[in-house]
Amino acid sequence: MAVNVNTVYRTVLLIINKEQRGYLTPDEFNKTATQVQLEIFNEYFDDLNQQLRAPGNDSEYSDRIKNLEEKIAIFQEIGNCTYTSGKFNLPTLTSPYEFYKLGTVIYNDEKEVQYVQPNELLELNLSPITKPSTYWPVYTFKNLQITVSPNTIINNISCTYIRKPLDPVWNFTTTPPGYQYTYTSTGSQDFELHPTEQVNIITRILLYSGIVIKDPQIVQAAAQQVQMENINSKS
């Protein structure tokens, strides 16, 4: 599932009526698209927290919690953690900047490891009743590393986590004599957001595009649309 980056760019250009692409270059589009995708992605977690406090809705297709979880699930990963010098490293990431949130830490593929704060771990270790064990392990998390207690656990740790979406890229070639931009899928990257976000993506890019090309009418129209969509999705 993805939103085609070429479809979005062509739609944006059509709406702002700049077919020669002189007012919103591919570079400007790519930077704007990256910002918009991260904004929408970050809002998922605040929206989910808000919806969890609201009365439930068990409708098959309009359950907002279910829909948000479906959108977040696109970015959920699971993998084995490697043990080094007393700590477990997260599953191999393309870049440290790819990581967003840690989910569940799992021991032996069957037992959830409980998260605790460092000060809580000190208190737990004071009593033999609450002291962590292989039956009830706990962990702390800092600098993308997991420290599991008891320290006798040195393998069989895995975790789920949320990664950030890859930056969208509209790549192109140019050919004479006009040297106009021509889309190429080679080197391009689609938006990784859920397909239902296509209109939202386009509207928000238009908002930023109006600022870039200094067109207040586009800014105003796009801002009103974004505000309306936010009200409808959260009310």
Side-chain angles (χ1 to χ4, degrees):
M1 294 188 296
V3 177
N4 185 272
V5 69
N6 187 42
T7 300
V8 172
Y9 188 29
R10 289 172 62 88
T11 303
V12 169
L13 291 175
L14 177 65
I15 292 174
I16 63 177
N17 196 27
K18 304 296 180 184
E19 295 183 358
Q20 298 302 315
R21 300 174 172 89
Y23 290 89
L24 187 67
T25 66
D27 181 62
E28 291 169 338
F29 170 80
N30 289 337
K31 291 177 180 177
T32 301
T34 297
Q35 175 65 22
V36 164
Q37 179 170 245
L38 282 175
E39 284 181 0
I40 296 173
F41 173 75
N42 287 330
E43 287 175 1
Y44 287 160
F45 303 92
D46 289 335
D47 290 348
L48 181 59
N49 183 48
Q50 179 179 343
Q51 292 301 326
L52 287 171
R53 299 196 303 266
N57 176 2
D58 59 0
S59 174
E60 183 174 5
Y61 298 110
S62 60
D63 186 329
R64 291 178 176 175
I65 294 176
K66 177 181 176 183
N67 292 341
L68 282 167
E69 289 177 339
E70 181 179 338
K71 293 176 180 180
I72 294 173
I74 297 172
F75 307 99
Q76 187 173 40
E77 306 286 348
I78 186 170
N80 295 320
C81 302
T82 55
Y83 184 80
T84 306
S85 302
K87 301 180 186 297
F88 287 91
N89 297 311
L90 294 178
T92 303
L93 302 173
T94 305
S95 164
Y97 303 106
E98 177 188 351
F99 176 82
Y100 187 73
K101 286 181 181 292
L102 182 63
T104 303
V105 177
I106 306 164
Y107 176 50
N108 275 341
D109 293 328
E110 60 182 15
K111 190 183 298 294
E112 180 178 351
V113 185
Q114 298 295 319
Y115 170 75
V116 295
Q117 295 282 355
N119 63 310
E120 293 175 321
L121 180 58
L122 291 174
E123 295 177 0
L124 291 173
N125 283 325
L126 291 176
S127 169
I129 298 176
T130 59
K131 192 178 181 67
S133 64
T134 54
Y135 178 77
W136 186 66
V138 300
Y139 76 93
T140 57
F141 183 62
K142 183 179 181 181
N143 297 330
L144 301 183
Q145 290 185 311
I146 299 168
T147 303
V148 177
S149 294
N151 57 14
T152 54
I153 298 177
I154 59 174
N155 52 29
N156 297 327
I157 292 292
S158 59
C159 71
T160 63
Y161 67 94
I162 300 294
R163 65 172 179 84
K164 294 180 181 178
L166 298 174
D167 293 346
V169 176
W170 191 88
N171 201 19
F172 61 90
T173 59
T174 56
T175 54
Y179 292 97
Q180 289 186 335
Y181 301 124
T182 302
Y183 170 76
T184 174
S185 59
T186 303
S188 291
Q189 171 64 52
D190 289 334
F191 293 86
E192 290 197 294
L193 299 177
H194 194 277
T196 57
E197 296 288 8
Q198 180 167 320
V199 173
N200 193 12
I201 291 170
I202 292 172
T203 303
R204 295 189 185 217
I205 291 177
L206 282 170
L207 174 60
Y208 284 110
S209 299
I211 297 173
V212 171
I213 67 176
K214 299 179 181 179
D215 189 327
Q217 290 183 330
I218 293 178
V219 173
Q220 182 178 7
Q224 290 175 346
Q225 183 63 30
V226 169
Q227 183 180 21
M228 185 181 303
E229 290 176 0
N230 284 336
I231 292 173
N232 289 338
S233 64
K234 297 178 183 180
S235 61

